[in-house]
Every structure is written in C-alpha cells, then in structure tokens.
Amino acid sequence: MVFPRRASWRSLFPLVLLTVGAAYALGSWNWCGTWAERAPVLLSQVKGEGPLRAGAAKVALAPPFPVVVAGYSPPRPEATQSDPPLHARAVVLEAGSSRVGLVSLELLLVTDVVTARVREHAKTLGLQDVLVLATHTHSSLGGYDSRLVSQLVGTGRYREDSEATVVAAASAALGQAASALTDVTLELGEAKESSYVYTRSGGTAPDGTLTRAVLRGGSAPVAELLFFAAHPAMVPRQRAYVDPDYPGRLSTLRESEGSGVTLLLQGAVGNASVAYSEGQGLERVSGFARALSELAGKAPLASAGPSVRLSLARAEAVMPRPDASRLVPAFTRAAGDNLLCSSAERVAEVSALVLGPLELVTVPGEPTVDAGSELVRRTGASGVLGLAGGYVGYVETPDLVNAKGGESRRQYFGPALLERLGVAAELAASTAGFTR
C-alpha cells in the first residue's frame, strides 16, 4: 500500500497566507459605518429651593463568589471573599419640589445599564432623578459590564448575577436613604495637600484639594460627601480578594468617627495616581485613608444658609466615532476601530448638579485635570466629577489627543470627545441654573 506524502509547510504557506489576508481584510472593513452628529438633547431636569432634608444609608455589596477581580488587563485573580467588605452608599436630598438621589458604588466603573435599572427602582421611591457614580476602585468585583472591550481590558467575563448584585445593592441603599429623610443643614469646606497626588502621563497634576460637604441633622451629621481626585489603585494587583481600596477604608473610618454615611466621589482624576508611601501593601492603603480623613477634618466648614438650591439636569451628548489610532499599531487601526465600535455607545450622559453653593458637572468617564478645567471654564462649575452614569474611558484635551500625549494613549475616542461632552455640559449647566 502506498501512502500519500505528507504535505510540506511550503505547500501550506499559500493557504495560511490567504487565510491571514482574508482575516485582515475582514477586520479592516469599515464595520463602524458613519456616526451621526447632532446637538445635545436635554434628558431631564429637576429644580427646587428651600429648607434641606436628607437621608443616607450604606448597604453591603455582596459579590456572587467566586468572582473575578476587576481593574486590570488579564490575567486577573479570582476572589472567593471580600476583605474589607464592599458597600453601596446613598444619599437622598430634598429641597422645595426637588427630590434626588446620589449613589456611590465601590466599583471600577458604572454602566449605563446599571444606572438605568437603578433609576427605574428610584421612581418607585418617589425620587425624581438619581446620579450613580463609581469610586473607581481597581480591586473590586467584575463581571457586570457586558461590553466586549470592557470585559477584555477591565471587568472580566460578563455575568448576569454580578450585574444584578450591583443593581440590588444600589437600589437597597437608595430605599433605606429615602425612608430616613430628616431636616438637615448644609456645611461646606475644603483643605489641600498636593503631596498626596501626582500626574502620571503629563499635563497638569491634581492639586490635592479635598472638598467636604456635611449634611448635619441637629448636632450629628447624617451624611458627608468628600470630593477628591486620585486613582484607587493601591491594592496589590494579584490579591485574590475583592477590596474597596482607600475609598472604602476612608468612608468606613469617617463613619466610625461619627461623620455619618460618607461618600467618596472622584474628581478630575484621569491622569492622577496616589503618591503616598507610608507602610507597604495594605498598610499603605490604610495609611492613605487615615491621612485623607485627617485632611477632611482640617477643612473649615461654613453653613450654606437655611434655604438651599437643589437641582439636577441631565443632557445626552452624541459621541464621535471611536478612534484606535493611539491604541494599536497603524496597520491594525481599522480592526481596532471596529473592536471599539462593537462596544462603544453612540450617546453618553452629562449631568449638572446644584447643591447650595456647589455647582458640579459630572461626566461618564475619567476626565484629566486639563479636561476638567476646560469643562469648568465652559460651564462655570465649581468642580467636575467623573465616573458617573456610564463609562466612555479617558477624556483628554484635543491638543494632547492630537499630540498623542497625556492620557490620550488610553482614550477610546478622537479629539472631538471633550467638545461633544462640553456642549452637553453647557446645556445641563444652564438648565440646572448655574450662576457662575
């Protein structure tokens, strides 16, 4: 019997070349199509003024173990426990005819799907609108974002039970806060320590300002809002526990000292990381939380008066076409664009919140300090909050995007991103009644 000669690699080379060429051509096809442009659209508005009432609550965010630890690219550890525990914290505010909620989740990011589901539940509580924000913790649970790019680069394989856990915790915290409304006064202050933060990729560094808003009921605080800007990326990457990083430790520490339910909300943080060297490992994380708590205690407080403005306006920005030119080699640019398009939302939400003298713009991503400054210039805001109502990645200034500098090397969209968000922010701010 005669057996056929085994095909040599040389005879297979044309087939391999043809297959690779076909895959390259398929991946390079413009699957994104054209992305429509239009003016931003106002989604909602709530506005009131009068004596302030508030309620606050925190609820355990209990992951469906075992669960992937989100925050970094693979390989990612899988956790079977949380240490310290994760939480969802909520504050409900009421003034005049306005009743709105703020929810802070100890997560890497929040999605528009999670935000929409939390808002649906909030309607049953009599809330007119809700802001949902993430602390940006790089060591929390993953699996709750169904977008392919997010699964690949940050949150791991999507699981319905992870998403349901996040929604349930946020909704429960809102419900408990809404049922605990009481008369409060608003007190504001700020303190600064520039040595706690530094710039990672060029551009302007955060100045280390911590803004403190205290909602005081009688002699005891009901809640405390802390606005700060620094990446919570201090927990070791391969630790097989979910962990709230310094935001969770800071909130728990403040609560144990009688500050009421404490929410840590991230400012213009995209190009900042924590720079603090006390201790090693988890000791370093706890040390930074203690340092921030001491800084908050140094913030001199001033009353906002007996009558408080409370308004929240949300606007929808149309997103520019995704742009992978800074993320992948030039010859794979088209394929990179297609991958981003498969996960990118065509619209994003920008909000404007007024709480007494505070006039804040929120964006669904990580604005750098320079991008935040541009949003402040355009809207007259007293500050910018990131990681609210969804996630579109980093937001850098057009000049740095064109120069491939700053955080633009991690930005999913082209130089038009900040302009699109800025126009929507102007609409939200004017509707909310910014005075600056």
Side-chain angles (χ1 to χ4, degrees):
M1 181 179 293
V2 179
F3 293 95
R5 180 179 297 175
R6 179 178 299 174
S8 68
W9 70 268
R10 293 184 181 85
S11 64
L12 293 176
F13 182 74
L15 178 61
V16 173
L17 187 63
L18 181 62
T19 302
V20 171
Y24 179 79
L26 187 64
S28 299
W29 186 265
N30 180 15
W31 297 106
C32 280
T34 58
W35 284 46
E37 297 185 23
R38 61 167 170 79
V41 175
L42 188 65
L43 296 175
S44 70
Q45 56 180 315
V46 181
K47 187 181 295 185
E49 184 171 356
L52 187 63
R53 303 181 74 218
K58 74 172 183 177
V59 170
L61 204 172
F65 294 118
V67 68
V68 67
V69 179
Y72 302 101
S73 56
R76 302 183 187 94
E78 189 173 78
T80 57
Q81 58 182 300
S82 178
D83 183 24
L86 304 172
H87 288 94
R89 290 175 169 86
V91 170
V92 170
L93 303 165
E94 181 181 275
S97 59
S98 294
R99 181 182 285 189
V100 301
L102 305 178
V103 181
S104 175
L105 295 163
E106 290 171 350
L107 298 173
L108 179 67
L109 54 89
V110 295
T111 67
D112 55 353
V113 174
V114 166
T115 300
R117 292 180 61 185
V118 172
R119 285 180 179 150
E120 282 299 313
H121 177 76
K123 292 178 182 178
T124 67
L125 303 173
L127 300 184
Q128 295 160 294
D129 213 341
V130 174
L131 283 179
V132 183
L133 307 98
T135 61
H136 199 46
T137 296
H138 281 244
S139 50
S140 186
L141 80 151
Y144 57 89
D145 191 339
S146 62
R147 295 173 298 175
L148 178 59
V149 169
S150 185
Q151 293 183 64
L152 291 174
V153 304
T155 58
R157 181 178 62 85
Y158 173 70
R159 292 169 46 180
E160 288 186 7
D161 56 353
S162 285
E163 183 179 77
T165 293
V166 171
V167 172
S171 299
L174 270 177
Q176 292 182 25
S179 65
L181 282 171
T182 188
D183 294 337
V184 298
T185 57
L186 173 64
E187 300 172 353
L188 298 171
E190 68 176 35
K192 183 184 299 186
E193 181 49 72
S194 60
S195 67
Y196 290 173
V197 289
Y198 71 93
T199 183
R200 179 175 64 183
S201 302
T204 304
D207 64 5
T209 296
L210 184 149
T211 301
R212 181 186 179 201
V214 177
L215 301 166
R216 191 179 302 278
S219 60
V222 170
E224 179 180 62
L225 308 178
L226 300 178
F227 308 99
F228 193 66
H231 266 85
M234 302 182 75
V235 174
R237 293 193 180 193
Q238 294 303 314
R239 187 169 184 256
Y241 298 83
V242 290
D243 189 304
D245 208 290
Y246 82 79
R249 288 169 171 80
L250 173 61
S251 293
T252 299
L253 178 60
R254 297 295 298 170
E255 289 158 357
S256 70
E257 295 174 347
S259 293
V261 176
T262 299
L263 281 66
L264 187 283
L265 307 176
Q266 290 288 348
V269 66
N271 66 342
S273 294
V274 173
Y276 191 76
S277 58
E278 179 181 316
Q280 298 295 323
L282 296 179
E283 179 185 352
R284 181 171 176 261
V285 187
S286 297
F288 186 70
R290 288 193 299 272
L292 280 184
S293 181
E294 292 172 2
L295 184 63
K298 295 176 182 177
L301 296 174
S303 174
S307 182
V308 172
R309 291 190 306 141
L310 175 62
S311 59
L312 175 60
R314 295 188 287 112
E316 182 180 84
V318 175
M319 300 299 285
R321 190 178 186 274
D323 176 12
S325 61
R326 300 164 310 283
L327 309 177
V328 298
F331 70 93
T332 62
R333 159 73 186 279
D337 284 357
N338 288 330
L339 179 61
L340 292 179
C341 284
S342 69
S343 297
E345 304 295 339
R346 297 197 175 223
V347 295
E349 176 184 294
V350 178
S351 301
L353 172 69
V354 176
L355 176 59
L358 285 177
E359 297 178 340
L360 304 169
V361 166
T362 78
V363 294
E366 300 178 65
T368 65
V369 173
D370 292 318
S373 296
E374 174 62 14
L375 291 170
V376 167
R377 183 192 68 79
R378 297 183 66 146
T379 63
S382 53
V384 174
L385 299 179
L387 301 144
Y391 187 74
V392 300
Y394 281 93
V395 183
E396 187 56 276
T397 60
D399 288 347
L400 283 173
V401 175
N402 288 323
K404 298 185 179 180
E407 293 296 345
S408 71
R409 292 170 293 175
R410 302 174 179 87
Q411 182 169 307
Y412 300 146
F413 298 88
L417 176 61
L418 180 57
E419 172 65 22
R420 299 287 181 89
L421 296 177
V423 173
E426 289 177 334
L427 173 60
S430 63
T431 303
F434 279 22
T435 57
R436 294 176 176 81

